Amino acid sequence: MNVKGGYLADFVSLLFPELCAACGESLVANEHLICTSCRITLPYTNFHLQPDNIVAQQFWGKIILEGGFALFYFAKGGKVQNLMHRFKYKGQKEIGNLLGEIAGAQLIKNEVFKTVDIIVPVPLHKKRLRQRGYNQSACFAEGLAGQLNAAVAEYNLVRPTATETQTHKSRFDRYENMQEVFSVLNPEELKNKHVLLVDDVITTGSTLEACGAQLLKVEGLKLSIATIAYAE
């Protein structure tokens, strides 16, 4: 029965091959979601080796961070954009889990991120959450948590106010659009903890700054930031 099942699986995979979420090529045996070639050649930032990297610098003089990180560089039309599109808009939330695991394997080598207690994903407004069916930042957080041995607090930081899309706004307009959008429901859970705030892509950093400003109101909280990609 197992042999027949194996033949059937091989036949199905021949007719309907699983494709790499980054390059679109067929995956071979033992490859999952992302092919081996892409896993090696994706544009990793290696920010976990650079304490004063450009993500950390983006928040200098705005909010106090222990560390900043992004796994990949983002370029329009590139493989990372393919990954993010499938992850956010095609329902392939397992991509976020995998990228979290890959990012976590890097961050656990960094002394700052080793001390993370709780991972907090940037929240979606409930209307957008209903439309998408999941919070992509929470999927990323779950993958990170297993590597960093940290808890995920998905529903402590909330977004009670819906905002307009940030896509076509200037840096100043994005900042104005995000003010007083977020709130912390249970400060006691985060008190005196090292919190890792996570999102999918960082551009101007206005969303992360607004979230971070609310989190840092919690007594004794130390804050770090990690994202899947950095868009220059």
Side-chain angles (χ1 to χ4, degrees):
M1 180 64 73
N2 289 338
V3 173
K4 289 182 179 179
Y7 284 139
L8 179 60
D10 289 342
F11 180 69
V12 171
S13 66
L14 184 64
L15 292 178
F16 306 100
E18 186 181 358
L19 304 180
C20 173
C23 69
E25 296 295 322
S26 297
L27 297 178
V28 299
N30 300 319
E31 291 183 337
H32 178 58
L33 294 176
I34 304 173
C35 70
T36 303
S37 176
C38 285
R39 287 207 187 203
I40 295 171
T41 61
L42 283 167
Y44 294 98
T45 65
N46 291 316
F47 286 168
H48 63 296
L49 303 176
Q50 306 166 33
D52 293 333
N53 61 69
I54 50 182
V55 171
Q57 290 179 25
Q58 197 154 338
F59 297 95
W60 285 358
K62 300 174 182 176
I63 54 176
I64 298 174
L65 295 183
E66 304 300 307
F69 172 82
L71 180 61
F72 300 125
Y73 290 106
F74 180 96
K76 289 185 177 180
K79 292 181 178 180
V80 174
Q81 185 177 35
N82 293 339
L83 279 172
M84 299 305 296
H85 183 76
R86 290 177 180 273
F87 172 33
K88 292 179 67 173
Y89 305 115
K90 297 298 182 180
Q92 292 186 255
K93 61 182 181 180
E94 65 272 19
I95 292 173
N97 298 143
L98 176 59
L99 297 180
E101 292 172 4
I102 294 171
Q106 293 187 4
L107 291 178
I108 199 64
K109 300 174 184 177
N110 182 296
E111 292 300 321
V112 169
F113 290 94
K114 277 183 180 180
T115 65
V116 167
D117 300 299
I118 297 177
I119 303 174
V120 174
V122 168
L124 293 177
H125 185 263
K126 58 184 179 182
K127 180 178 179 181
R128 181 147 325 159
L129 184 59
R130 283 197 302 269
Q131 292 172 341
R132 185 168 297 164
Y134 57 93
N135 180 351
Q136 71 275 6
S137 298
C139 298
F140 181 52
E142 289 167 6
L144 280 166
Q147 298 292 323
L148 297 178
N149 193 29
V152 177
E154 182 176 355
Y155 302 107
N156 199 335
L157 182 68
V158 296
R159 187 178 198 150
T161 305
T163 55
E164 302 172 37
T165 178
Q166 298 278 75
T167 305
H168 302 295
K169 292 184 179 292
S170 69
R171 182 184 295 267
F172 178 77
D173 287 341
R174 289 187 185 207
Y175 176 81
E176 288 293 300
N177 195 42
M178 298 312 299
Q179 296 310 294
E180 303 302 325
V181 169
F182 303 97
S183 59
V184 176
L185 291 182
N186 181 14
E188 284 298 317
E189 181 186 23
L190 307 178
K191 184 177 177 181
N192 297 318
K193 302 295 186 182
H194 182 180
V195 171
L196 179 61
L197 176 65
V198 301
D199 203 359
D200 50 4
V201 179
I202 179 172
T203 50
T204 64
S206 56
T207 300
L208 287 162
E209 182 184 345
C211 289
Q214 290 299 319
L215 289 168
L216 285 168
K217 293 178 181 179
V218 176
E219 182 182 348
L221 186 144
K222 294 181 178 179
L223 182 67
S224 292
I225 283 174
T227 67
I228 296 172
Y230 171 79
E232 297 181 90

